[in-house]
Amino acid sequence: MTRRLAVLTVVCAELVFAGTAGDHPIENIFRPLSTPAHEISDVSFLAVIICAVIFSVVAGLLTYAIIRYRRRPGDSDAEPPQVYGSNQIEAAWTVIPLLIVFVLIMVSARVIASVQNAKPPANALHATVVGHQWWWEFRYPSLGIVTANELHVPLSDTAHPQPTFLKLESVDVAHSFWVPRLNGKTDVIPNRANDMWIDPHEAGDFIGNCAEYCGTQHANMLIHVIVQPKPDFERWVAEQQLPAVEDPSVAADKQAFLSVSCVNCHTVKGTSASGVFGPDLTHLMSRKYLASGVLSNTPENLRAWIKDPQAIKPGCLMPAMHLTDNELDSVVAYLRTLK
Amino acid sequence: MATVDYPLEKSRRQREFSLSEALYSWVATVDHKRLGLMYMTSAIIFFLIAGVMAMVIRAQLIVPENHVVGPQTFNRLFTMHGTTMVFLVGMPIIAGMSNYLIPLMIGARDMAFPRLNAFGYWIFLFGGILLYFSYLGANGLFGAGSAPDVGWFAYAPLTERAFSRGTSTDYWILGILVSGIGSIVSAINVIATTLSMRCKGMKLSRMPLFVWVMVVDAWMVILALPPLTAGQVMLLFDRYLGANFFNTQAGGSAVLWQHFFWIFGHPEVYILIFPAFATVSEVVPVFSRKPIFGRQAMVGAVVAIGFISFGVWAHHMFAVGMAPISNIFFATASFLVAVPTGVKIFNWLATIWGGKIRFATPMLFCVAFIFQFLIAGLTGVMLAVTPFDWQLTDSYFVVAHFHYTLTGSFLFGVFAAIYYWFPKATGKMLSETIGKWHFWLLVIGFHLTFDPQHILGILGMPRRVYTYAPGRGWEPWNMISSIGAAIQAIAIICFAWNVIRALIKGERAGDDPWDAWTLEWTTTSPPPEYNYETDPEVRSSRPLWDLKHPEDPDWKYE
Amino acid sequence: MAEEDTKHDYPDAVDMPAPSFWPMILAFGVTLLLTGIVTNYVVTLVGFVLSARAAVGWWRDVIPHELHEEVPVRHPADWAVPVRTTGRSVASLRVGAAHHRMRIPERVHPYKAGIWGGIAGGIAMAILACIYGQVAHGSIWYPVNLLAATVLPSISQAGETALGQFQLVAFGVAVGVHTITSILVGVLYAVTLPMFPRRAPLWAGFIVPLFWTGLIAATLALTNPALNDHINWIWFIACQIAFGLVAGFVAAKTQRIDTMQNLPFIERAAIESQWSEKPDGKGRQ
Amino acid sequence: MASSATQPVETEWRLPDRGTVGIISLILTEISLFSIFVIAYLFYIGKSLTGPFPKDVLEFPVLATICLLSSSGTIVFAEHALKHRKMAMFKMWWAVTIVLGLVFLYETGVEWHDLIYDKHLTIATNVFGSTFYSLVGLHATHVIVGMTFLLIVFIVTMRGFPIHTQIRRVTFLSWYWHFVDAVWVVVFTVVYIVGR
Ligand code: HEA
Ligand code: HEA
Ligand code: CUA
Ligand SMILES: [Cu+2]
């Protein structure tokens, strides 16, 4: 019955918040797509119902009271009876909330334990999330992959359950990893290892945000979690494991890229570029977005970004490099080959 | 100074007006009523400033990818908005209300430590000015200046030298630290006053609930503020002496700051709501014409809330990855606060029940307070459901929750207090007509602003974002929210107009315009410097009931 | 206080603390002292000097004696108008009763009764539940584990056989949960029994348990999914009714309670009088 | 309220002294302040990434502790003397208290000098340094504040100020001093016993 109620509510909610925009269905914490998010959604739903009932009762009584007991024109000047209290009813309205509270404690405790104490199964994928001021680094230590801003994980349907366990670290300030449809937040805090897990039941691109204020560009620290069916995911892994593409047609452009100071901050595997301050660019073209979700990855956007990142993401930690137009063309041409 | 002015009939008012003397009389005053008004006035000015900041915030967010302000400015705006509202509006309003009313309500001539009282006011004011001076001076006098942009809870290590260069964060630390001294001083004063200065017969069991709530509030201030001060001192050491408290590179802990801040921060939010509780507990009975229902329970509930609130702080930190057992503990403690708070709500309701309600403006604000605080508390309980909070924390749902408590409850309570006691303090009545405009516009604006924010949170909008991309379903709700904010601004303008109008040509108030029951209504409006010509004596918790019903006084039954 | 008085027995002047600007200077000094940190040490120096001077000034104000200023008392004509003392009528709470002020009910003291009732009801319920476990699943631990599943996620993941086994943690949790709920409901019974409309046993034993069973049924999938999957509603309801009957019986028996049968609910709840609207105009006498 | 004068109001009306209430509240605030520093100290025990570590560099400040603790006794004697108007005794005990306090401060200074210059532990060295100097320093600051007040009392008394008119304030000062002492017991336990 509750299920049905829940379904009904979600349907209503979908009507209200309807629509899919662009590639993303609208995020909504009550439309979970992963076990932890599901459990959270259920207990949240319960909390909402309980609070709604309490609200209706109390607000109803209050409304009744202020209408019924308002002073009406022509009322006499007499004072109403002076009631000082009632032990009985006061005890009742202490005990009833206590009971409700007790229920809330129990169910919260269960879900807390269930989400936090989950142990990774043998086939779980392990990945590390590293928060940077204002972008995300994703590492798959067991696969030897380093990428940025777009976290690829395998689909975990009932036929092939394969959760992904994330280790969360930060190199600078505190961030928070939040993809509403997959799980709640877990903070990403320097000098502290946190973890969380997801097992998405549906393929797609799920969007999320950094949810802990982390400085100027906190607003533009978006997360994309790309859930792929197992074969697609494996193909992606294989591609990522390769060193950077060597395209002879851009050999000169490559030289140009390596000669400007991009290399101080960015890595392109297989070249002399080995900076670690900015995102790894080895497979830049495999990403849909640039600069943690701010721009879609088109040649024009890429050029604009490299020309003046500060115009696009003011305050971000990549400086405008003041490249000449020629240099810019070469760099973009080269980067465009990094599939 | 101490010369006696004979003959006594010559009123001081009849002396010739001199600017320097007037100025001196305010600067050097140790009169609790003047200081109370100074606190309130400063707080209202800071409120207008912070309110304008909120307007800019809402203007920026009205449509996606808006360009009213840039990221830096926006971050400074919400930091200063939050900091100002909490430390330079909330705290001085507490001090102002307790200063003005407590001595009058307990039949005292002044606060226990009048000079300390003056010191408290001035150091609060200078602290506030210091914070705002950052707009000019934070990069050194040569730079453009910049206000702090670290958020009102200034999480480490964003506040460390490495991530927050310049001195804006130092201004945040010092401004709050200095004005915090003022809050502590005035809280000590409130405690000493209520314990030591009560007039004859004013037993604790007869003390007005307002005073009870404010004295519990003062206890919370003296216990809760030092952790913030301690944390700030450590942060200052980090920034100036290279200490490593919150320096994560050297083994420092970012989470420790969060603990220290919220050990202060959670009690602080109850500190902020208590003046509203206090006011509602006085206004509701008077306008329902009934005594407060379950007085002992009300006192007990306030004390219980005070105690429990020191054990719930980490519910602001459910997402930092605490052990399940800690999460359960703090969730439990947070739920438990709902019980005494519920008792308060129910007792107010029962006070109204069976009464004969006069809907004057103060009462309107109180009724709205009860409704809105109910919702605020219930969303608070949802947040305390740890798993729910994993989704909602740092989202707009939280913004909605705490504006329900702060705007919808605290501010409404303060407006109730202003409408209720303005006649006492100035001798003039505020206009009921404008008051009703103020009230209804504020209610409408408030709900338009903050109701949609719950939905925004559920749709995944994080707080403290200066911009957002279109297409995530957030546009309509942000639009409504911003429009609501504008309506609130109109409401506040009505309020300002009402006050100014009343001061200039308000109707005379008389001593007891509301037909009330507490001691302050037995003196003139405004009261003389010494409050009462002869020391009052009380016999019950409603001394004026006794006087108004001599054939049937309360004291026979208490 | 605000009494008209011809004998002039009020003081001519009141001693009030004398004004002083030292507190303000001290505040300014302290602020500067700290501001020096972000600006220049000279500011700190100035702040220090100001603070020191102000501190001395302040001490002079209070030592050896606090300075006072005599404020002349206003002429009695300016005093507050004496509070109106003409009696205004007050509606009485009950027709015919003299008093209009109440703390109702006067004689109920039933918390202990509630606790005993809750314990008794809880035991009855537990026994019945264990019987059900034995009869239907061959193990008295079955219902215990299901109850513990409200808190322990591991139980819902364990299989049917595990549900029949004794598990220490689950046992502890179940006992805790059961005790707390039983006692709370027992106390609630004790305080509200007098408020039930006529036929308290019917209400306490059947209607109220059915009501909360309804609440549980509506939310069980969310509060305790494991129980939801395994529940036998007939037995469940039987257990609730057993609780209701026993707890209600014990609570009502342990102490005599004035049930105020002939008063309307609202009055038994003691928050309103039916007659509060119609004061007789003549006051309580 | 003459109108209800039929009912006698409490004949005896005693309230606590406002100064007492004030000083107790002040001490409570201070306790709250110190607890945070103590918590920080306890939290960071063993969390330093680099040396020097407490057990390498800390020695029991025996003399300082004895001095400070006994000064709590001497100030009581002084107070007692003042109450009985034995001014010479008062001055003597008061002076002893001051000297004991000064010895404490001197010892702390020596300890710090040694730590900073010989053992190379500064507030910036590691989290031990940060917590150590701030906790002990906060306490020392309180000693200095107390000492300032003690000195002021001493000086004005020597210059003939009738200090016996201020017994109440002297008592408050001595309470404050006891509090500073009690805090030292905690600091000592935490820093030199638990923390090593
Ligand atoms: C005046 C201020 C005020 C008040 C009174 C409250 C009251 C409460 N708050 Fe709120 N809160 C804030 C101000 C306030 N809060 C602020 C400013 C923040 C954000 C800070 C920041 O991040 O910037 C915050 C954030 C905040 C969080 C953290 C959110 C997050 O960032 O993740 C949580 C989580 O538990 C929470 C919970 C509560 C609870 C349980 C109450 C309870 O006290 C509510 C109790 C009241 C009721 C429940 C209603 C009446 C009761 C009944 C009718 C009885 C029956 C009810 C039940 C049995 C449930 N609050
Ligand atoms: C007491 C506390 C209080 C109060 C009353 C308010 C009142 C308001 N707040 Fe605020 N708010 C906070 C405390 C408060 N807030 C805190 C603590 C934060 C968190 C900060 C952080 O994240 O660090 C916050 C954050 C916050 C945000 C989130 C920012 C973000 O996360 O990005 C928003 C956004 O809508 C907002 C809006 C508002 C609005 C519209 C009001 C309105 O109710 C304001 C109404 C007032 C006015 C409209 C003023 C009217 C002025 C005039 C009429 C002009 C006259 C002017 C002159 C004469 C000079 N507030
Ligand atoms: Cu990273 Cu916010
Ligand atoms: Cu809180």
Side-chain angles (χ1 to χ4, degrees), chain B residues 47-48 51-52 54-55 57-58 61 74 78-79 81-82 85-86 151-153 396 399 402-403 406-407 410-411 449-450 453 463-465 481 485 488-489 492-493:
Chain B
F47 168 74
L48 292 178
V52 170
M55 294 300 108
I57 291 176
R58 285 314 325 165
L61 294 177
F74 185 90
F78 70 68
T79 304
H81 165 75
M85 284 292 193
V86 170
W152 86 278
F153 41 69
Y396 257 86
V399 176
F402 70 72
H403 282 91
L406 292 170
T407 303
F410 163 74
L411 200 58
T449 313
F450 296 112
Q453 293 188 356
R463 65 193 275 202
R464 297 173 163 179
V465 292
S481 178
Q488 285 189 68
I492 304 294
I493 290 172

Side-chain angles (χ1 to χ4, degrees), chain B residues 112 196 223 244-245 253 537 539, chain D residues 7 16 18 32 44 130 134:
Chain B
S196 311
L223 294 178
N244 300 309
F245 283 103
S253 162
E537 288 176 3
R539 293 175 176 76
Chain D
Q7 163 80 359
R18 63 191 160 119
S32 172
Y44 279 128
S130 306
S134 39

Side-chain angles (χ1 to χ4, degrees), chain A residues 54 58 97 100-101, chain B residues 152-153 262 269-270 273 315-316 318 334 337-338 341-342 345-346 373-374 377-378 380-381 383-384 389 393-394 398 401-402 405-406 463:
Chain A
I54 296 175
V58 182
I100 300 175
V101 157
Chain B
W152 86 278
F153 41 69
W262 291 117
V269 305
Y270 291 101
I273 200 68
H315 69 200
H316 297 270
F318 282 145
S334 311
V337 194
T341 318
I345 297 244
F346 295 131
F373 184 67
L374 174 66
L378 293 172
V381 167
L383 288 168
D389 185 74
T393 181
D394 270 311
V398 174
H401 158 69
F402 70 72
T405 61
L406 292 170
R463 65 193 275 202

Side-chain angles (χ1 to χ4, degrees), chain B residues 99-119:
Chain B
N99 259 312
Y100 197 93
L101 293 168
I102 288 181
L104 282 170
M105 284 188 163
I106 61 171
R109 290 243 142 93
D110 206 322
M111 297 289 278
F113 309 113
R115 291 169 202 80
L116 201 61
N117 205 8
F119 173 75

Side-chain angles (χ1 to χ4, degrees), chain B residues 28 511 515 530 533 552 554, chain C residues 20 24 74 81 88 100-101:
Chain B
D511 302 337
D515 194 1
Y530 42 77
E533 279 83 10
D552 180 29
D554 257 3
Chain C
S20 161
M24 193 267 268
R74 298 176 296 188
V81 187
R88 184 163 12 146
H100 57 74
R101 50 182 105 233

Side-chain angles (χ1 to χ4, degrees), chain A residues 131-136 172-176 209-215 217-219 221:
Chain A
H132 293 259
Q133 269 183 327
W134 305 295
W135 59 281
W136 298 96
D172 38 48
V173 302
H175 306 270
S176 190
N209 287 69
C210 173
E212 184 67 83
Y213 176 64
C214 51
Q217 277 295 345
H218 160 68
M221 190 165 163

